[in-house]
Amino acid sequence: MSLSVDSIIERIGGAEKIASLTGVGTEAVRKWRQARAIPPKHWPVVAKAAGVPIEALQPGASGAETSSSEFSSHDQKRDSIMSEQSGAVSGAIPDGATAALVLADGTVFRGMGFGAPATGEAIGEICFSTGMTGYQETLTDPSFAGQIITFTFPHIGNVGTNAEDDEAARVSARGLVVKQDLTEPANWRSAESLDAWLKERGVPGICGVDTRALTLRIRDKGPQTAVLAHVVDGKLDIEALKKAAVAWPGLEGMDLAKVVTCEKPYGWSQGVWEWPSATKPLPAKLRKVVAVDYGAKRNILRCLATAGCDVTVVPATTTAEEILALKPEGVFLSNGPGDPAATAAYAVPAIRGVLDAGVPVFGICLGHQLLALALGGKTYKLERGHRGANQPVKDLATGRVEITSQNHGFAVDERSLPNEVRVTHVSLFDRSNEGIASNTLPAFSVQYHPEASPGPSDSFYLFERFVAMIDARQASGVKAG
Ligand SMILES: NC(=O)CC[C@H](N)C(=O)O
């Protein structure tokens, strides 16, 4: 029977006591707690001081001890894993490695697995997010379907997880890659650790990866496929994983909106959060808005409600006739995963029908790309996707710069836009398109995420602009729908 690290530390009289006894700092003791293991070289001293047999320090005998790790010393093992991961892998499993990230270009990163086990089914485009907060919102953003996320921020896990921060009912990302072991939660809102949360949702993760090297590779060589595999003994068929990565067709041409959309229409009437725990009361006047769900984030629906919309969410494949039958005063096109050109097959005829009826339209991210396609433009795959919460965007009408939250791998080709469509926003990172508006129809959209979650809320004004557009049309005497 092994004892938990916490109970051993308690027996000895606390972190400072055990630190001075073993000649380490209290930071090292914090890491032992996090790794749920004490390095073997300290076992004789610790066992004696705690008055327990040395076997009791061996992790793995009790369920609680093994839940996140099979290692005796994460720090020592990580060193050996990190030095092994430069590229070609000999086939030998580095000491302590239980997971691997295998890229289609043949690069193999070994590391330690966390979250759910996976033997190769976690396959998708490997991308990186530079966001420093909001890993839970990111993981539950349906736009990440078909992708494995590398978080460049190191302390993933630090605020735990809670039921309120989900952006959708499921996790759509196929896996996550981090540098350090998951950080233990230290936040009053945390209900569960990220590790347990991932296990419950069947999502695998890998830590101990040199995320800087991985990010540079994606940044400089462009998007590619990866497989994340995680098994307890680390015995993985790397060659088979490489083959699977090469065989995966990639996101181009993939319609994933139909995979993540809702099954049937539903109403939404919750506003944005208001400190400390309630949601903001909705305004008295509400406009009837139909939101087409290509993979909608909940905070978009909250922002629409707070701006004054009575929202009915409908599935991605809803036709123009079905949308117009609901007599909307405005139609919203949501964010979502996959290639806009593929989803356009059914989305563009529906959007066209709504535009032809003169109903005001507002789109975000995939919704922006689909509006551009419906207005006659084209989309393309970016060499470097934009994912993070600090992306500068310039509003060309005002010259104002907004710091925005973004997550997209495709973009609207400005050169393809017809004369009656103007560019409204541009990325200050790479000058790619971030917003358009029609000169002849009440329709506009942005590539970035004005709803934040995670990220800044500089761009909330866009929801108000949509509501003002609806009101202007109603004031001009047009009947709804
Ligand atoms: N967040 C989104 O809506 C993403 C849109 C699209 N799937 C892209 O990657 O560009």
Side-chain angles (χ1 to χ4, degrees), residues 1 17 64-65 76 128 160 202 219 259-260 292 320 323 328 363 461 478:
M1 176 65 190
K17 198 89 183 279
E65 288 289 87
Q76 287 166 6
F128 65 89
R219 188 195 70 179
V259 178
V260 297
V292 187
I323 293 172
Y461 72 93
V478 185

Side-chain angles (χ1 to χ4, degrees), residues 23-293:
V24 300
T26 48
E27 175 59 14
V29 178
R30 192 191 64 75
K31 285 187 181 163
W32 299 349
R33 285 194 203 266
Q34 189 179 323
R36 301 189 183 98
I38 296 172
K41 66 177 178 198
H42 300 304
W43 288 359
V45 169
V46 171
K48 193 157 169 244
V52 297
I54 217 157
E55 304 80 68
L57 302 182
Q58 186 111 39
S62 82
E65 288 289 87
T66 53
S67 64
S68 94
S69 155
E70 335 302 340
F71 312 106
S72 55
S73 163
H74 272 205
D75 289 348
Q76 287 166 6
K77 305 280 175 174
R78 191 193 298 116
D79 287 348
S80 66
I81 293 163
M82 297 284 282
S83 59
E84 191 265 350
Q85 68 184 201
S86 53
V89 154
S90 59
I93 305 169
D95 202 12
T98 55
L101 181 76
V102 180
L103 272 52
D105 72 4
T107 309
V108 179
F109 292 88
R110 296 269 198 173
M112 294 173 289
F114 59 83
T119 48
E121 57 282 6
I123 187 164
E125 182 177 310
I126 180 81
C127 64
F128 65 89
S129 171
T130 54
M132 291 172 72
T133 59
Y135 53 80
Q136 185 180 339
E137 291 92 323
T138 301
L139 288 164
T140 54
D141 175 351
S143 303
F144 278 106
Q147 291 170 64
I148 296 172
I149 310 169
T150 309
F151 288 104
T152 60
F153 182 71
H155 305 291
I156 300 299
N158 56 355
V159 290
T161 60
N162 65 65
E164 290 169 336
D165 287 351
D166 284 347
E167 283 298 325
R170 283 170 303 184
V171 175
S172 289
R174 300 211 167 154
L176 65 159
V177 182
V178 300
K179 183 168 192 299
Q180 287 177 201
D181 300 341
L182 289 184
T183 306
E184 288 285 284
N187 186 283
W188 64 276
R189 294 178 71 229
S190 175
E192 193 172 27
S193 74
L194 179 59
D195 185 49
W197 185 89
L198 290 166
K199 279 193 172 76
E200 278 160 28
R201 286 157 182 78
V203 182
I206 180 170
C207 68
V209 168
D210 181 351
T211 49
R212 181 170 294 192
L214 175 59
T215 297
L216 288 175
R217 184 165 293 257
I218 308 166
R219 188 195 70 179
D220 296 342
K221 289 194 166 181
Q224 62 167 309
T225 304
V227 196
L228 199 174
H230 165 208
V231 291
V232 173
D233 61 7
K235 287 193 184 130
L236 292 162
D237 184 345
I238 298 291
E239 285 313 311
L241 295 173
K242 269 186 206 167
K243 280 204 187 100
V246 171
W248 200 70
L251 285 180
E252 272 176 286
M254 254 189 211
D255 168 32
L256 293 173
K258 66 171 185 304
V259 178
V260 297
T261 188
C262 59
E263 270 170 31
K264 43 183 199 298
Y266 63 94
W268 183 274
S269 54
Q270 188 191 56
V272 296
W273 303 132
E274 192 172 51
W275 177 262
S277 59
T279 55
K280 215 171 177 165
L282 301 189
K285 182 176 174 193
L286 295 175
R287 295 91 183 151
K288 196 158 179 39
V289 163
V290 167
V292 187
D293 174 17

Side-chain angles (χ1 to χ4, degrees), residues 32 37 77 152 157 306 355 396 422 425 469:
W32 299 349
K77 305 280 175 174
T152 60
T306 293
L355 291 170
L396 297 180
R422 68 180 183 278
H425 296 78
M469 192 177 253

Side-chain angles (χ1 to χ4, degrees), residues 141 143-144 147 251 295 297 334-340 364-367 369 380-382 387 406-411 447 449:
D141 175 351
S143 303
F144 278 106
Q147 291 170 64
L251 285 180
K297 285 171 64 191
S334 87
N335 64 299
D339 184 345
I364 290 178
C365 215
L366 181 64
Q369 297 161 349
Y380 65 100
K381 178 107 174 123
L382 285 166
R387 296 178 185 89
Q406 301 200 9
N407 158 30
H408 60 107
F410 293 85
Q447 182 64 76
H449 285 264

Side-chain angles (χ1 to χ4, degrees), residues 288-304 309 311-316 323 328-336 351 354 359-368 370-371 444-446 448-451 462-463 466 470:
K288 196 158 179 39
V289 163
V290 167
V292 187
D293 174 17
Y294 302 111
K297 285 171 64 191
R298 287 177 181 159
N299 214 45
I300 291 182
L301 305 179
R302 286 190 201 102
C303 288
L304 285 169
C309 302
V311 186
T312 302
V313 186
V314 298
I323 293 172
E329 292 170 83
V331 170
F332 172 76
L333 311 173
S334 87
N335 64 299
I351 297 167
V354 170
V359 179
V361 173
F362 172 35
I364 290 178
C365 215
L366 181 64
H368 161 72
L370 292 171
L371 177 65
F444 72 102
S445 57
V446 286
Y448 54 96
H449 285 264
E451 80 285 4
L462 291 164
F463 293 96
F466 179 44
I470 291 173

Side-chain angles (χ1 to χ4, degrees), residues 418-436:
N419 287 340
E420 61 276 15
V421 178
R422 68 180 183 278
V423 171
T424 57
H425 296 78
V426 66
S427 164
L428 294 183
F429 274 168
D430 62 5
R431 299 267 155 198
S432 62
N433 179 261
E434 293 288 351
I436 58 165

